[in-house]
Coordinates of all heavy atoms in Angstrom, one line a residue:
T88 N 12.1 -67.2 39.8 CA 12.9 -66.2 39.1 C 13.2 -65.0 40.1 O 12.3 -64.5 40.7 CB 12.2 -65.6 37.9 OG1 11.9 -66.7 37.0 CG2 13.1 -64.6 37.1
T89 N 14.5 -64.6 40.2 CA 14.8 -63.5 41.1 C 15.7 -62.6 40.3 O 16.4 -63.0 39.4 CB 15.6 -64.0 42.3 OG1 16.7 -64.7 41.9 CG2 14.7 -64.8 43.2
R90 N 15.6 -61.3 40.6 CA 16.3 -60.3 39.9 C 17.4 -59.7 40.8 O 17.1 -59.5 42.0 CB 15.4 -59.2 39.4 CG 14.5 -59.7 38.3 CD 13.6 -58.7 37.7 NE 12.6 -59.3 36.8 CZ 12.8 -59.5 35.5 NH1 14.0 -59.2 35.0 NH2 11.9 -60.1 34.8
R91 N 18.5 -59.5 40.3 CA 19.6 -58.8 41.0 C 20.4 -57.9 40.1 O 20.2 -58.1 38.9 CB 20.5 -59.9 41.7 CG 21.0 -60.9 40.7 CD 21.7 -62.0 41.3 NE 22.9 -61.6 42.0 CZ 23.7 -62.3 42.8 NH1 23.3 -63.5 43.1 NH2 24.8 -61.8 43.3
P92 N 21.2 -57.1 40.6 CA 21.9 -56.2 39.6 C 22.7 -56.9 38.6 O 23.5 -57.8 38.9 CB 22.8 -55.4 40.6 CG 22.2 -55.4 41.9 CD 21.5 -56.8 42.0
G93 N 22.3 -56.7 37.3 CA 23.0 -57.2 36.2 C 22.6 -58.6 35.8 O 23.1 -59.2 34.8
A94 N 21.6 -59.2 36.5 CA 21.2 -60.6 36.2 C 19.8 -60.9 36.6 O 19.3 -60.4 37.6 CB 22.2 -61.6 36.8
V95 N 19.2 -61.8 35.8 CA 18.0 -62.5 36.2 C 18.3 -63.9 36.5 O 18.9 -64.6 35.6 CB 16.9 -62.4 35.1 CG1 15.6 -63.1 35.6 CG2 16.6 -60.9 34.8
V96 N 18.0 -64.4 37.7 CA 18.4 -65.8 38.1 C 17.2 -66.6 38.0 O 16.2 -66.4 38.7 CB 19.1 -65.8 39.5 CG1 19.5 -67.2 39.8 CG2 20.3 -64.9 39.5
V97 N 17.3 -67.7 37.2 CA 16.2 -68.7 37.1 C 16.6 -69.9 37.9 O 17.6 -70.5 37.5 CB 15.9 -69.0 35.6 CG1 14.8 -70.0 35.5 CG2 15.5 -67.7 34.9
S98 N 15.8 -70.3 38.8 CA 16.2 -71.5 39.7 C 15.1 -72.6 39.5 O 14.0 -72.4 40.0 CB 16.2 -71.0 41.2 OG 17.2 -70.0 41.3
P99 N 15.5 -73.6 38.8 CA 14.5 -74.7 38.7 C 14.6 -75.7 39.9 O 15.7 -75.8 40.5 CB 15.0 -75.5 37.4 CG 16.4 -75.1 37.3 CD 16.6 -73.8 37.9
F100 N 13.5 -76.2 40.3 CA 13.5 -77.2 41.4 C 12.9 -78.4 40.9 O 11.7 -78.5 40.5 CB 12.7 -76.6 42.6 CG 13.4 -75.4 43.2 CD1 13.2 -74.2 42.8 CD2 14.3 -75.6 44.2 CE1 13.8 -73.1 43.3 CE2 15.0 -74.6 44.8 CZ 14.7 -73.3 44.4
G101 N 13.7 -79.5 40.8 CA 13.2 -80.8 40.2 C 14.1 -81.1 39.0 O 15.0 -80.3 38.6
D102 N 13.8 -82.2 38.4 CA 14.6 -82.7 37.2 C 14.3 -81.8 36.0 O 13.2 -81.5 35.7 CB 14.2 -84.1 36.9 CG 14.7 -85.1 38.0 OD1 15.5 -84.7 38.8 OD2 14.2 -86.3 37.9
L103 N 15.4 -81.5 35.3 CA 15.2 -80.9 34.0 C 15.2 -81.9 32.9 O 16.3 -82.4 32.5 CB 16.4 -79.9 33.8 CG 16.4 -78.7 34.7 CD1 17.7 -78.0 34.7 CD2 15.3 -77.7 34.3
D104 N 14.0 -82.3 32.5 CA 13.9 -83.4 31.6 C 12.8 -83.1 30.6 O 12.3 -81.9 30.5 CB 13.6 -84.7 32.3 CG 12.4 -84.7 33.2 OD1 11.5 -83.7 33.0 OD2 12.3 -85.5 34.1
V105 N 12.4 -84.0 29.8 CA 11.4 -83.8 28.8 C 10.1 -83.2 29.3 O 9.4 -82.5 28.7 CB 11.1 -85.1 27.9 CG1 10.4 -86.2 28.8 CG2 10.4 -84.8 26.7
R106 N 9.7 -83.6 30.6 CA 8.5 -83.1 31.2 C 8.6 -81.6 31.6 O 7.6 -80.9 31.6 CB 8.1 -84.0 32.4 CG 7.7 -85.4 32.0 CD 7.4 -86.2 33.3 NE 8.5 -86.1 34.2 CZ 9.3 -87.2 34.5 NH1 9.0 -88.3 34.0 NH2 10.3 -87.0 35.3
S107 N 9.8 -81.2 32.0 CA 9.9 -79.8 32.4 C 10.5 -78.9 31.4 O 10.5 -77.7 31.6 CB 10.8 -79.8 33.7 OG 12.0 -80.4 33.5
A108 N 11.1 -79.4 30.3 CA 11.8 -78.6 29.3 C 10.9 -77.5 28.7 O 11.3 -76.4 28.5 CB 12.3 -79.5 28.2
G109 N 9.6 -77.8 28.5 CA 8.7 -76.8 28.0 C 8.5 -75.6 28.9 O 8.5 -74.4 28.5
M110 N 8.4 -75.9 30.2 CA 8.3 -74.8 31.2 C 9.5 -73.9 31.2 O 9.5 -72.7 31.3 CB 7.9 -75.4 32.6 CG 7.7 -74.3 33.6 SD 7.5 -75.1 35.3 CE 5.8 -75.2 35.3
L111 N 10.7 -74.6 31.2 CA 12.0 -73.9 31.2 C 12.1 -73.0 29.9 O 12.5 -71.9 30.0 CB 13.1 -74.9 31.3 CG 14.5 -74.2 31.3 CD1 14.7 -73.3 32.5 CD2 15.6 -75.4 31.3
R112 N 11.8 -73.6 28.8 CA 11.8 -72.9 27.5 C 11.0 -71.7 27.5 O 11.4 -70.6 27.1 CB 11.4 -73.8 26.4 CG 11.5 -73.1 25.0 CD 11.0 -73.9 23.8 NE 11.4 -75.3 23.9 CZ 10.7 -76.4 24.2 NH1 9.4 -76.1 24.6 NH2 11.1 -77.6 24.2
D113 N 9.7 -71.8 28.0 CA 8.8 -70.7 28.1 C 9.4 -69.6 28.9 O 9.3 -68.4 28.6 CB 7.4 -71.1 28.6 CG 6.7 -72.0 27.6 OD1 7.1 -72.1 26.4 OD2 5.7 -72.6 28.0
A114 N 9.9 -69.9 30.1 CA 10.5 -68.9 31.0 C 11.7 -68.2 30.4 O 11.8 -67.0 30.5 CB 10.8 -69.5 32.3
L115 N 12.6 -69.0 29.8 CA 13.8 -68.3 29.2 C 13.4 -67.5 28.0 O 14.0 -66.5 27.7 CB 14.8 -69.4 28.9 CG 15.4 -70.2 30.1 CD1 16.3 -71.2 29.7 CD2 16.1 -69.2 31.1

Side-chain angles (χ1 to χ4, degrees):
T88 303
T89 56
R90 296 183 184 273
R91 53 187 296 169
V95 179
V96 180
V97 178
S98 302
F100 294 89
D102 292 345
L103 291 165
D104 57 19
V105 69
R106 292 178 306 245
S107 60
M110 182 185 269
L111 180 63
R112 180 184 318 103
D113 292 348
L115 295 177

